[in-house]
Amino acid sequence: MTLFNQERMVYVGNEKGLKAGNGFHYYNPDQVVNGKKMSEWLKFSVAYWHTMDQRLVDPFGDGTAQRPWDNIEDPMEQALAKVDYLFEFLDKMNVEYFAFHDRDLAPEGNTLRETNQNLDIVVDKIVAKMQETGKKVLWNTSSLFTNPRFVAGGATAPFADIFAYSAAQIKHSLEIAKRVNSESYVFWGGREGYESLLNTDMKLEQDHIAKFFRLAKDYANEIGYTGQFLLEPKPKEPTSHQYDTDAATTIAFLKTYGLEKDFKLNLEGNHAYLAGHTYEHEVRVARDAGLLGSLDANMGDKLIGWDIDEFPNDIYEATLVMYEMLKNGGLPTGGLNFDSKPRRQSFDMQDLFFAHAAGMDTYAAGLLVANKLIEDRVFEDVLDDRYSSFKTGIGADFEAGKVTFKDFENYIIDKPQSELIAATKSGHLEQLKSTLNNYIYTVLGR
Ligand code: XUL
Ligand code: CO
């Protein structure tokens, strides 16, 4: 069985030409960057739901892609064949990890018991393939949003039976996480939000989902599953108001309910756009809180208002996100999961291959540039200078906790405007952006 007429992807650099398609141009897995191999910094992961299951639908049209396994009529046979294709794809792409929802893997039955039985058959095969190949699961998750029973949410549903179903479904998913040794376990609250306050008890729903998360963690502890729990923020789509709107909201939720020791964040590029933030902003917020877990590496489109899950190709964004990742000391239990799909007009099987390569090269290039920026202390020196007035005088006294509002008043009250203006400095942003561009050109031009 072969997916592509393509050879296994290896690093070729740019010596044989600049046109993409014949190997990685920047992703060189064994190249050492700041003491670690690129493959250790960049734990790339293939998303089962996109790469195996997506047919490239958009909100106005059916899928355009046809996959070879679509021709297998029996749903379980098809589900089992997809596992073979996935492992071949991982091997050809030289990607070590994958990620999945429970429902990506196998068809549902009429009861949860039947559904679990279908799922377990496929998981058995996945476990065997993992042992054979050494491939790993970055994270798994559970779909509490696709089936109509989740019309009003799963863990925030106003219906106790649906809440019960959700809890039982996650229980089984955690058992799978233990079996496949997932490095993290993700919750994306697809329908955990609301459309209108007119029929929503927001406080009750949030209390419920917080208790749900606590029960999930308790069960993980009970069965000895030690992967990192992650919440994945998104501001809207499908509900108008998702409870996990952005990194800051999600951190506030975790702290409100005392869950911050057990959860970190999985941050996605396109979700940041939808929240009106840059990707690097979201990653910075999580890093500053010590809660950066993993990255769903994709990007949005400023011209389109919905979540398009585009494969990353923006070197500027990738550089700034990799800067945050390096400053975080890496992502101990996380990686870069391509929650991404080719464009609707890129429907060939080969496009799956090109799309992943584009994403991997973009982040590899971003890593190289970010590492050089840090080596040269480009932003660090700027920040040291910009905040230097807090290192001496009144600023240092304030930092040491020695200054009251009265002291500030005494200190400042007679200073003339000219001295206050003299205390400010230019931010030199254009020069700094030009420096950033120079680093991108120069590091990648080598
Ligand atoms: C949806 C999304 C999900 C999560 C996993 O926008 O990002 O695919 O990553 O449920
Ligand atoms: Co995602």
Side-chain angles (χ1 to χ4, degrees), residues 49 101 139 141 145 188 232 234 266 268 271 296 307 339:
W49 56 102
H101 301 81
W139 50 261
T141 184
F145 45 88
W188 171 58
E232 183 175 326
K234 185 176 184 181
N266 182 40
E268 177 163 328
H271 295 182
D296 263 10
D307 189 4
D339 191 352

Side-chain angles (χ1 to χ4, degrees), residues 87 90 96-99 130 134-138 180-181 183:
F87 278 84
L90 292 171
E96 221 181 318
Y97 290 87
F98 61 106
M130 286 173 69
K135 300 293 178 193
K136 298 179 223 164
V137 177
L138 188 66
V180 300
N181 202 18
E183 301 209 356

